[in-house]
Amino acid sequence: MTTATTTVADAVRIGVKLYAEDPAAVRLDRFIPVFHGWIQRGAVPGLLIDVADYAHVPEGPGVLLIGHEADHAIDLGEGRPGVLYQRKRDLDGTLADRFGAALGAAETAAAELEADREAGGLRFGRDELLVRILDRLAAPNVPETLEAVRPALLAALERRRPGASVSLEHVGDPKGPFAVRVRLSG
Amino acid sequence: MSATEWRERLQGQMPPDLAEEIDLFEAQLELRRQGRIEDRVFAETRLRRGVYGQRYDNGQRHDGIASRRLEFPAGDLTKGPETLWDAPGMVRIKIPYGGVSPEQLEVIAELAEEYSDGILHITTRQDVQLHFVHIDDTPTLMRRLAAVGITTREACGNGVRNITGCPIAGVCRTEAFDVTAYADALFRFLLGHPDCQDFGRKFKIAFSGCADEACGLVMMHDFGAVARVATVDGVERRSFDLYVGGGLGTTPYQAKLLYEDHPVEELLPAMQAIARVYARLGEKKNRNRARIKFLVSKLGIDEFRRLVDEERRVLPHDPRWTSYLPEVERFDERPVREPVPLNGASAPEGFERWLATNVYRQRQPGYAVATVALPLGDLSSDQARGLAEIGRRWVGGAIRTTVEQNIVLRWVPEGDLPGLYADLAAIGLAAPGAGTIVDVTACPGTDTCKLGIASSRGLAGELRRRLAATAFELDEAVRGLRIKVSGCFNSCGQHHVADIGFFGNSRKIDGYTVPHFQVVLGGRWRENAGSYGLPIGAVPSKRIPEVVDAITSRYVAERAGDESFQDYIARLGKKELGALIADLKTVPSREEDPSPYTDWGDAREFTMGDMGVGECAGEVISRIDLELSTAESIAFEAQVALEDGDLARADDRAYAAMLAAAQALVRTEWADVPSDPDAIVEEFRTRFYDTERFFDRFAKGRFARPLLDRHAAGPPPAHEAETTRVLVEEAQLFIDAVHAFEIREAGAQSALV
């Protein structure tokens, strides 16, 4: 089964990042045992495979929990630590459903970490998100892609935060993947 | 918004041969899914495309409590023996002599991001590896690489691996001449070369511009070339000293001098002759004795040379042997910026330290090579994109990877170094300490390798962290030492040629397995990896930093004048060195201190249970089996074309599949069978058809007729659905008949034994 996609409506490789409220409190070495613990007890849905430590890479992927369907990470990208849920394959439903599933999985991961003493009492903000699609075929990094995904993304956000005011901004390196900064209020 | 598949989008951008090769691989994936290719054959096919297994791909993983089964959706479907289809794997991307353009770096960054984990890992063979890749994504990944001129072909498996070369070739102060063009020519000549398809093991080649520096590490290679130059009658004459039979692994061998002062015109045919001798006489059954170093050792270099000479005399002439020579100058890089002196103007903080360790003054006045020191050989996709842009801006794309897992930027005007440093610092790539004790090299080890015993990356990271904190306070003699770590005895971290080397093993203590590292001291990095280190004993993994402290402190205290580390280690001897680490071998009980019972960078209690069957050796598959597998793929393409209603393509592919199978069969008797269809059919007819050897007991020559008839008739003027369908089916029957013939012949041979 290939994961290649042909239009943005088929996009599966959706990532959602929630930022740590206190970046200075993020100690990456804590997350190696935390993520191994997630594998042991199946803390989050999906097939969880292994932990990859890239703490030595500045502003890199940090510490990753590698899964079959999705990866979870304490991500250091943009110089802003946060919890990242990155879907890789096997995501059904409409594009809004898939955005919703990724948003929900990221929030689940954040809540799991917030509840884990070993993670150091981290808190993650819920009013600012980074949503990205790692698929340059389906979602080229151009402003038109934002317009194409806007209705689905807004619908997914409305389901998760009914009544919230939402702003979407196309962000990131032009040669990087398509990414949208989401700000929510209310 | 609509988009096309990558294959369609990249049509015309990929070199046709690579495009076809990837189409075939994609067809083989489908055949394997359908169970129509044997597991072992597919494994070797996959490896020869650079698609490698990874730890836990047998579906078993110890999670720290118990060994558990990873329940992948594809279930028991495998992509090789004990290798589950869905299990993530590694893709190795060949970067010949480390040369990579900004555009190529950007594409690899994209692939790392979309199909891997956002990390590009530079290997000790100047490759780039992506980990945690699903096999279904590999054809697309390969197409995107092919579109920028990169291949993964023969990056793994029993073939010619990436050809390495000195990363400062062309700008080096001590080289005889720039070896780049020769390394590139040999890479292109050997890629997919028929004479390199029947090796019992992998084959590694290196080029060096001179004998004294480390650079190419020729002495630890299966085949290596060291440049030399002489002036004869006022004309510069280039040649190579050619070495053969070196290698690391469990049993390290130094390469032997095969030919001294060998003309550059004879480089490619010499290697071709070596390949033929190795393919013919090298060990095939026992993979532990199959590298060419064992053959050279067994025969002796003089007898090996005699065989190579003999083979060289009968090699059919190939114009490619010398056709590249007029193009050698094309590889001369030119700077994009004028040379400006470093004028002492104020520089960013940290610049001086970086300048002291990461900058090499080029032969060309006013220019320098800047080394980007990568921790553990890793950089993120964002950093790779940033580095590509920096490469464009400052050096016009003159970028190379190194066997020390770093990246160099060549042709930096010295006056631009502060600006370059500032740009690198902005993306976290301005760490000082390149080529020093801080710049620890490590193979992937237990992080991702199935053969890893101990965590080489975990240890290397820990050593780097500790040493970086004190690097500039260390004695200068210590600061220049090199540390290299392998996760097991297979030596991918090149520990044998380090001043201080380690390789992973384990010891059983009170019923628990404790990760250890064997300590190997005094290897010689210079002189092209001139000698190998002395193993002095195994120490628990968690006490290795103390080993480094103990050895370096004692060296500083007892060093006699300018005594080198190698000389000091030789003077001390194994007994004294063993005593030096004796106290560090003790392991407290688990109750007293559980930390030695886990490895660096891993929270789980240590286990050996996650080791798998390595794929470094590849599968020893006969050449005809591999070629018939290719023929099957072409036949599959014919079937797909038929289903799509593309009758012309179906006819063409069916014919091509039969030709490929016939060629494979002829090659069992004539290694140099040409690729010309007339020659293939003629040889097939005279050897197998006219003699009736190919005849089936009942069907006689029926299965061969479609090939002979289609060849004689040529493509039909108009393609009819029924005729084409029959030809597609006949093509498959012909391939099956070749398989059957091979089995009959093998039976006859075994009956004779």
Side-chain angles (χ1 to χ4, degrees):
Chain A
M1 165 216 57
T2 179
T3 55
T5 56
T6 51
T7 72
V8 74
D10 302 318
V12 166
R13 298 174 193 264
I14 298 169
V16 176
K17 180 175 177 179
L18 308 183
Y19 297 95
E21 289 184 345
D22 180 6
V26 176
R27 276 187 42 199
L28 286 178
D29 57 333
R30 292 175 182 271
F31 295 94
I32 295 171
V34 165
F35 283 154
H36 278 295
W38 282 24
I39 297 174
Q40 287 166 353
R41 57 194 170 84
V44 289
L47 175 58
L48 307 177
I49 300 173
D50 199 16
V51 180
D53 177 7
Y54 296 117
H56 52 278
V57 178
E59 299 191 13
V63 176
L64 281 155
L65 170 55
I66 304 288
H68 174 71
E69 300 88 355
D71 295 339
H72 294 75
I74 294 297
D75 178 78
L76 306 180
E78 314 157 83
R80 296 180 62 189
V83 59
L84 172 69
Y85 174 83
Q86 181 61 55
R87 191 77 187 194
K88 299 192 286 193
R89 57 180 61 82
D90 301 342
L91 197 51
D92 295 328
T94 64
L95 183 59
D97 293 338
R98 280 176 262 133
F99 275 130
L103 289 164
E107 287 177 6
T108 300
E112 191 73 29
L113 289 172
E114 287 171 339
D116 192 334
R117 283 173 182 271
E118 299 298 318
L122 283 184
R123 306 290 304 169
F124 297 95
R126 303 302 200 271
D127 292 343
E128 182 188 359
L129 318 169
L130 185 76
V131 175
R132 65 183 197 180
I133 303 177
L134 299 184
D135 186 337
R136 285 168 172 81
L137 186 68
N141 189 10
V142 292
E144 291 77 11
T145 302
L146 174 56
E147 296 317 309
V149 303
R150 185 186 294 275
L153 184 52
L154 289 175
L157 290 163
E158 173 63 21
R159 278 183 224 160
R160 303 220 56 94
R161 284 275 293 270
S165 165
V166 180
S167 80
L168 305 180
E169 181 191 2
H170 178 207
V171 294
D173 176 352
K175 290 187 174 176
F178 172 73
V180 181
R181 186 162 316 287
V182 179
R183 289 195 170 83
L184 298 147
S185 58
Chain B
M1 182 188 307
S2 66
T4 54
E5 297 288 345
W6 279 115
R7 184 173 182 275
E8 292 160 35
R9 181 179 286 199
L10 298 174
Q11 285 292 351
Q13 296 178 48
M14 296 180 279
D17 55 335
L18 287 185
E20 186 180 348
E21 168 79 11
I22 298 164
D23 285 349
L24 285 178
F25 180 57
E26 192 164 46
Q28 283 168 326
L29 253 69
E30 186 53 36
L31 289 171
R32 178 63 206 140
R33 281 193 204 97
Q34 297 173 10
R36 291 166 58 187
I37 295 184
E38 190 196 339
D39 226 7
R40 288 171 61 250
V41 174
F42 181 74
E44 181 61 15
T45 299
R46 158 173 70 77
L47 289 166
R48 291 193 187 195
R49 266 83 169 192
V51 180
Y52 210 84
Q54 206 175 294
R55 207 165 177 89
Y56 316 123
D57 65 10
N58 61 358
Q60 294 290 329
R61 180 182 182 276
H62 200 284
D63 68 6
I65 297 171
S67 186
R68 298 188 200 280
R69 181 156 177 78
L70 300 171
E71 300 288 355
F72 289 106
D76 292 335
L77 177 63
T78 56
K79 51 190 173 186
E82 297 178 38
T83 310
L84 295 175
W85 190 267
D86 272 336
M90 176 266 277
V91 174
R92 184 176 291 149
I93 299 167
K94 271 179 155 176
I95 310 290
Y97 52 87
V100 62
S101 70
E103 294 72 27
Q104 291 172 330
L105 197 53
E106 285 171 344
V107 167
I108 300 172
E110 291 180 3
L111 301 177
E113 210 159 40
E114 294 184 40
Y115 307 120
S116 173
D117 55 5
I119 289 289
L120 293 77
H121 176 71
I122 311 298
T123 76
T124 53
R125 292 204 57 72
Q126 296 177 298
D127 299 289
V128 179
Q129 284 182 184
L130 306 181
H131 293 96
F132 303 107
V133 178
H134 196 289
I135 192 168
D136 289 341
D137 292 326
T138 56
T140 298
L141 187 152
M142 290 173 189
R143 288 190 178 104
R144 293 172 72 177
L145 288 171
V148 289
I150 296 180
T151 181
T152 61
R153 188 171 183 191
E154 291 161 4
C156 310
N158 297 331
V160 178
R161 303 293 186 87
N162 194 38
I163 293 182
T164 56
C166 170
I168 55 171
V171 299
C172 170
R173 298 193 301 267
T174 60
E175 70 182 3
F177 58 84
D178 183 352
V179 296
T180 306
Y182 304 94
D184 187 81
L186 190 59
F187 159 72
R188 292 179 194 287
F189 180 65
L190 296 180
L191 188 69
H193 196 290
D195 288 337
C196 300
Q197 304 306 307
D198 202 19
F199 291 170
R201 280 297 304 268
K202 57 190 169 184
F203 197 91
K204 296 179 178 177
I205 296 175
F207 279 79
S208 184
C210 67
D212 295 336
E213 303 295 329
C215 299
L217 306 173
V218 160
M219 301 306 291
M220 51 172 249
H221 279 79
D222 296 289
F223 174 73
V226 179
R228 52 191 289 170
V229 67
T231 304
V232 180
D233 297 332
V235 179
E236 184 185 86
R237 178 184 167 279
R238 293 179 170 188
S239 65
F240 286 106
D241 287 343
L242 300 183
Y243 290 85
V244 69
L248 299 181
T250 47
T251 322
Y253 282 64
Q254 284 274 306
K256 310 285 188 300
L257 181 63
L258 180 69
Y259 296 123
E260 192 171 11
D261 197 17
H262 210 57
V264 291
E265 294 79 6
E266 278 295 307
L267 171 71
L268 271 55
M271 178 57 225
Q272 189 180 353
I274 291 168
R276 287 188 167 206
V277 172
Y278 177 46
R280 194 173 72 241
L281 300 177
E283 172 66 45
K284 297 280 183 6
K285 288 182 181 158
N286 180 359
R287 63 176 61 189
N288 295 324
R289 305 287 297 175
R291 293 288 292 272
I292 197 172
K293 62 187 178 183
F294 295 108
L295 179 65
V296 172
S297 175
K298 186 174 89 177
L299 296 174
I301 188 65
D302 292 335
E303 172 63 7
F304 186 83
R305 185 182 300 111
R306 189 190 69 75
L307 291 165
V308 173
D309 287 345
E310 196 174 83
E311 195 67 53
R312 171 66 188 92
R313 279 194 290 276
V314 298
L315 277 183
H317 178 75
D318 188 330
R320 292 178 299 166
W321 288 344
T322 52
S323 60
Y324 72 97
L325 289 171
E327 299 281 305
V328 163
E329 286 179 6
R330 186 169 58 82
F331 286 82
D332 285 349
E333 286 173 343
R334 292 281 177 266
V336 290
R337 296 165 73 91
E338 291 298 314
V340 187
L342 190 57
N343 58 13
S346 68
E349 189 183 345
F351 173 72
E352 293 300 330
R353 284 189 169 183
W354 178 81
L355 180 69
T357 54
N358 293 41
V359 174
Y360 171 88
R361 290 218 148 73
Q362 291 186 192
R363 180 172 77 237
Q364 297 82 1
Y367 290 100
V369 177
T371 299
V372 179
L374 302 174
L376 307 182
D378 292 341
L379 75 165
S380 70
S381 291
D382 285 340
Q383 286 179 316
R385 272 191 290 274
L387 188 59
E389 203 49 52
I390 288 171
R392 277 193 194 94
R393 178 180 178 196
W394 295 103
V395 298
I399 304 171
R400 294 199 189 184
T401 59
T402 81
V403 296
E404 295 204 271
Q405 301 180 302
N406 292 325
I407 288 177
V408 295
L409 303 172
R410 303 140 54 95
W411 294 100
V412 187
E414 291 181 8
D416 286 344
L417 286 166
L420 170 68
Y421 172 81
D423 278 1
L424 290 172
I427 57 170
L429 289 179
T436 71
I437 195 167
V438 176
D439 194 9
V440 183
T441 304
C443 71
T446 50
D447 277 17
T448 51
C449 177
K450 294 202 270 190
L451 294 173
I453 297 174
S455 177
S456 43
R457 281 168 59 87
L459 173 62
E462 182 65 19
L463 291 174
R464 183 184 179 96
R465 188 182 67 75
R466 292 182 187 214
L467 290 163
T470 59
F472 283 86
E473 293 149 27
L474 292 172
D475 187 281
E476 201 169 329
V478 169
R479 209 184 309 153
L481 299 179
R482 280 177 162 81
I483 298 178
K484 298 185 184 295
V485 191
S486 300
C488 73
F489 44 75
N490 285 302
S491 315
C492 297
Q494 302 175 341
H495 59 264
H496 291 294
V497 293
D499 298 291
I500 303 174
F502 303 104
F503 71 86
N505 57 24
S506 66
R507 296 286 185 271
K508 207 83 175 169
I509 294 170
D510 293 338
Y512 295 97
T513 312
V514 178
H516 278 60
F517 279 92
Q518 175 71 230
V519 182
V520 181
L521 297 177
R524 192 178 300 276
W525 180 247
R526 290 173 59 84
E527 297 167 19
N528 276 298
S531 64
Y532 300 144
L534 182 71
I536 63 165
V539 173
S541 181
K542 289 292 175 70
R543 302 201 73 176
I544 291 295
E546 295 172 72
V547 170
V548 174
D549 288 345
I551 290 166
T552 54
S553 303
R554 188 141 170 207
Y555 172 52
V556 170
E558 297 179 355
R559 184 181 185 217
D562 289 338
E563 187 177 30
S564 72
F565 188 73
Q566 283 69 29
D567 291 344
Y568 172 72
I569 293 300
R571 174 159 66 84
L572 245 60
K574 192 160 182 167
K575 189 175 173 187
E576 187 69 20
L577 289 164
L580 179 65
I581 62 167
D583 290 346
L584 300 174
K585 292 182 171 181
T586 57
V587 180
S589 71
R590 192 164 171 277
E591 292 68 34
E592 194 183 336
D593 178 7
S595 68
Y597 297 81
T598 62
D599 209 342
W600 294 108
D602 196 334
R604 297 170 294 168
E605 185 168 290
F606 184 76
T607 175
M608 297 274 287
D610 288 330
M611 282 181 69
V613 179
E615 294 187 326
C616 300
E619 294 287 341
V620 180
I621 304 296
S622 71
R623 184 160 165 189
I624 187 172
D625 282 345
L626 281 173
E627 293 189 355
L628 287 176
S629 169
T630 301
E632 301 252 17
S633 303
I634 302 171
F636 182 76
E637 287 184 335
Q639 290 161 11
V640 172
L642 189 66
E643 282 173 18
D644 291 346
D646 188 345
L647 300 182
R649 179 169 167 77
D651 171 81
D652 174 74
R653 294 285 81 194
Y655 172 55
M658 290 189 285
L659 276 177
Q663 187 181 25
L665 187 56
V666 173
R667 202 191 302 282
T668 59
E669 298 189 349
W670 184 29
D672 292 318
V673 54
S675 296
D676 168 47
D678 288 341
I680 293 171
V681 172
E682 184 56 25
E683 290 296 328
F684 172 77
R685 182 198 299 279
T686 52
R687 289 167 190 267
F688 299 102
Y689 188 81
D690 292 347
T691 58
E692 300 188 0
R693 291 167 61 200
F694 189 72
F695 280 26
D696 179 81
R697 187 173 162 198
F698 302 106
K700 304 298 180 191
R702 180 216 176 284
F703 297 125
R705 287 298 336 160
L707 168 65
L708 303 178
D709 294 346
R710 170 63 177 76
H711 178 73
H719 294 282
E720 294 173 5
E722 184 60 16
T723 317
T724 310
R725 182 191 63 74
V726 169
L727 187 72
V728 169
E729 288 177 6
E730 298 280 18
Q732 187 59 53
L733 289 172
F734 178 72
I735 294 167
D736 291 343
V738 175
H739 275 298
F741 174 80
E742 191 204 0
I743 292 166
R744 284 202 306 273
E745 287 285 295
Q749 289 297 324
S750 63
L752 291 172
V753 173

